[in-house]
Amino acid sequence: QQQVKQSPQSLIVQKGGIPIINCAYENTAFDYFPWYQQFPGKGPALLIAIRPDVSEKKEGRFTISFNKSAKQFSLHIMDSQPGDSATYFCAASIKDKLIFGTGTLLAVQP
Amino acid sequence: KAGVTQTPRYLIKTRGQQVTLSCSPISGHRSVSWYQQTPGQGLQFLFEYFSETQRNKGNFPGRFSGRQFSNSRSEMNVSTLELGDSALYLCASSLAGGGITYEQYFGPGTRLTVT
């Protein structure tokens, strides 16, 4: 019940495309859903986060869509750039304990 | 504001030894969490400290321990190192408090290699 399932494992898109990464959870006690971006050799960087009372949140080119009834949430990256090539992790949290998805390796081709 | 800092950045130890890693949170943040990242198991929660008290603990053996000081700085210790402890150890800090989750900001990590 503590798992967060993330898909796809890897994703290749062309520059300007809109990659979509999906996550699903079971525990309805989760109260916070962040997305992190990680480059090789670096720590995860917080991209955007949402709470379960909101269905969508946009920050720059990044959008989270949240479906509380389906217990699913997704990350959309608008107008993707080669610099967005990284590993993306979704997570779900309860009282400051983050449960991470398995990660999606995104490659944006020029 | 300065970000989360972790020292050392790289460490090589031998099986059976022990190691201590250090984390300084963002100024004003009172919660510090530790995570282990490996290619096989991904990012796994170790424990979380708030006001010098461990509030949350993940599913790791007792060889993994931590503490937090009055200035919110935190250390984690791994005793009797095993080859499988080779990983990137990440520290994250957040404002915390009030019973809800706040944003967690990660440091660059300490890369531990056990030989």
Side-chain angles (χ1 to χ4, degrees), chain B residues 47-64:
Chain B
F47 28 66
E48 185 249 348
Y49 286 87
F50 177 77
S51 292
E52 301 179 66
T53 301
Q54 186 182 87
R55 291 197 303 185
N56 248 319
K57 190 176 188 305
N59 296 324
F60 279 82
R63 300 185 297 107
F64 292 81

Side-chain angles (χ1 to χ4, degrees), chain A residues 44-90:
Chain A
L46 179 64
L47 265 180
I48 186 172
I50 199 167
R51 298 199 186 269
D53 53 346
V54 177
S55 61
E56 186 177 273
K57 183 175 181 180
K58 293 182 181 180
E59 283 186 6
R61 295 185 295 109
F62 301 96
T63 299
I64 298 179
S65 297
F66 189 85
N67 186 328
K68 189 174 180 178
S69 60
K71 291 185 276 188
Q72 295 175 346
F73 59 110
S74 59
L75 176 71
H76 296 60
I77 305 175
M78 306 302 175
D79 187 28
S80 59
Q81 302 296 313
D84 295 329
S85 298
T87 301
Y88 292 80
F89 293 94
C90 64

Side-chain angles (χ1 to χ4, degrees), chain B:
Chain B
K1 275 186 181 179
V4 178
T5 58
Q6 292 187 244
T7 56
R9 292 294 313 280
Y10 303 92
L11 207 48
I12 300 175
K13 290 286 188 179
T14 304
R15 270 181 302 176
Q17 287 186 316
Q18 76 166 25
V19 66
T20 299
L21 313 181
S22 181
C23 171
S24 292
I26 292 171
S27 177
H29 285 191
R30 296 169 63 192
S31 169
V32 173
S33 299
W34 289 89
Y35 295 82
Q36 181 196 64
Q37 186 174 27
T38 59
Q41 299 298 316
L43 279 152
Q44 292 187 289
F45 173 80
L46 279 156
F47 28 66
E48 185 249 348
Y49 286 87
F50 177 77
S51 292
E52 301 179 66
T53 301
Q54 186 182 87
R55 291 197 303 185
N56 248 319
K57 190 176 188 305
N59 296 324
F60 279 82
R63 300 185 297 107
F64 292 81
S65 63
R67 59 177 176 168
Q68 187 181 34
F69 302 95
S70 58
N71 61 358
S72 294
R73 193 178 68 84
S74 177
E75 289 181 347
M76 70 163 279
N77 183 276
V78 188
S79 62
T80 319
L81 284 166
E82 300 177 359
L83 294 178
D85 297 333
S86 294
L88 181 66
Y89 289 90
L90 293 157
C91 165
S93 77
S94 75
L95 282 170
I100 63 171
T101 301
Y102 287 85
E103 291 81 0
Q104 290 195 21
Y105 297 93
F106 282 82
T110 294
R111 172 71 63 186
L112 172 65
T113 301
V114 182
T115 62

